[in-house]
Amino acid sequence: MLELANVQPVLKMILKATRMTLRSVTGTMTMLHMSLNQKRQRKSFLWPEGGRYRKFRKPSTQKMNGSASCPRSCLRSKAGRSVAGGRGRGQLQTYPPPKPLLVGFSWTLRQPHAARRVGLRPLSKSRTRSTKLLRLIDLDFSFTFSLLDLPPVNEYDMYIRNFGKRNTKQAYVQYNEDNVDRNVQTEEVETQEVWTQHPGEGALVSGGSERSGPLDAAAVVPKVNTPRLCSFLRAACQVIAVLLEEDRVASEPTWTPRAQDCPLRFSDSSAQLNTSLPFLQNRRVSYLHASQVQRRMVVSVHGRPGKAFTPLLDGRYVLCVWDIWQPSGPQKVLICESKVTCCCFSPFKAFLLFAGTVHGSVVVWDLREDARIHHYVKLSGCFWTFRTATFSTDGVLTSVNHRSPLQAIEPITGSVCKRQSCVLSPFSTQEEPAGLSFHVASLDESGVLNVWVVVELAKADTAGAVSDLGLLPGGRIKLVHSAAIQLSDSLSHKGYEFWGSTQTLSVKFLPSDSNRFVVGTDTGLISHGTRQDMRVSPRLFRPQQQGMRPVKVNVIDFSPFGEPIFLAGCSDGSIRLHQLTAEHPLLQWDESTHGRAVIGLQWSSTRPAVFLVQDDTSCVYIWDLLESDLGPVAKQPVYPDRLVAMTVVGEAEKTRSGFLALVLARASGDVDVQYLRREWVAPVGDELQRLRLLLREAL
């Protein structure tokens, strides 16, 4: 009974499928029969009658009495024809036109006249013909297909299909559930107590093990990085020296090598550099220069001694690099064979010093060099290192070297300077990256401006280089000539040939554009040019007076606050404030020094409207354009020891350590530092905006 019950549903499904198949076959045959009938009916319209086809007659229109009428044979007439215009026949009744005949025969049976016109035979003949044709048509069963393929099902599959998913759920069983793996340490870890000391004071820097004996302790060799230790000690010694110097000044405020260490009227305090050292005795200071980046670094140029002292130093000039916070002694001592007329520091950190000589040579000192490659001299029980020049163009680059005394040497600050750190401490021991390169320009009095490329070698050669004869053995800095600019051609003027050749005295490059520069001359004119020989406007900066005069433009200085203005100090005592876009000065003061020549002029580094002036009568002037634009606001004569040279050092008041100081060189060889009062150091509110307004009004 179970097997019959299972077979019965299957048979029902088979019968159902068979019925559906028969229905589809029957429907298909019916559609074929209907399509054949339709084809026969379409062909019966053109059935030949009497051996020819009857054609439709195209209806034509005739114009009779202004109206159109149908012909006699038109199918639109129902019962007869009508007589138009009174032509004597009776009227016929017209019929509507027949509809298109497509499939059925019922319409032709109701309208026999239409059947005769289209050429159809009587209905009996059509049915006879269709019957004969249907006998000839048979269905073609040339292909077969399976509508249902149902393989037999075994008993197990049938059981699982019907009862396999009833009353089931998913479950799992874990055997020995409480047996969980854990990391268990059963052996005791051996430990050992040791000690260490950093930095180590001897060969033994660690210990404490009970098992280690004296042999093990002696076998410990510490790892010492000697260069790093030397750098650390050098930096630490400098910091300690500054602290000791401050403590000494605080505990002994009257300590000075000279008795005239007293502040001037416009300064709060003063300090004196220790120029009483044995190798500085009887040497006069001829030049002072301060670093524009590290404001505490100052270089002083000392002449030859008046008395013989030691053979190594008697015939040489001495340059001392000072840190004004350590006045007890110079940081570096340099020597030069020729008289130094001008000098400058490297533009991004004061570790290179460039100098121009009276013989037209350019010399360079690398202050980072090891002191062991230079001269040692023991003076008064103390050893001093005297550094010779790392590189010199004297007698080497004869074809491109200067043939006249140098008047100015300036670093060309460009993209290199902007990329480097410009705020590094002077006590920093971080070495600059190898391969640095920038430009330096040197100007002689004949109007030749040479541009040099400063190149740092990757490795120093202690044996010396055959190709670079001007390079010191063991040195890494050298100069390569880049370009020469003849300024004498641009300074010659028609009608003034009796003046002779124009002498150039000073040069300054624009802080915002290192390609442009201005040059001071001995005719009262300031030349404006470029390194690439491009046209600039204006070409000359003239004074307010017309014509050329025998007036020397001794000093030029640009504003350090980004303003396109510069100051020019002349030998007739006049001071001119020029703007880069105007030929004549914005402001000019002719009697500010009572006709005495201006030999020193420099902007303040802390206040945009303040600058300081020195004349040749040992007098110092302080100008504040916001307070008075007619003359200086303070004047200080320096006597009895007259003033020889002056430079300005200082840092902006970003913190409480901001200061502004004058470094003054006396005729006796003394050098003192005068720290100005706070009113000349601290900027007033909106000082730069007020200065711009003043310059705009001066236009």
Side-chain angles (χ1 to χ4, degrees), residues 518-530:
V518 293
V519 177
T521 65
D522 61 346
T523 60
L525 304 178
I526 301 175
S527 177
H528 187 194
T530 62

Side-chain angles (χ1 to χ4, degrees), residues 124 152 191 207 286 311 313 355 383 415 425 504 546 585-586 598-599 601 660:
S124 59
T191 60
S286 60
L313 302 176
F383 284 96
S415 59
S425 170
T504 53
Q546 297 296 328
L586 296 175
V598 177
I599 61 175
L601 178 70
L660 183 67

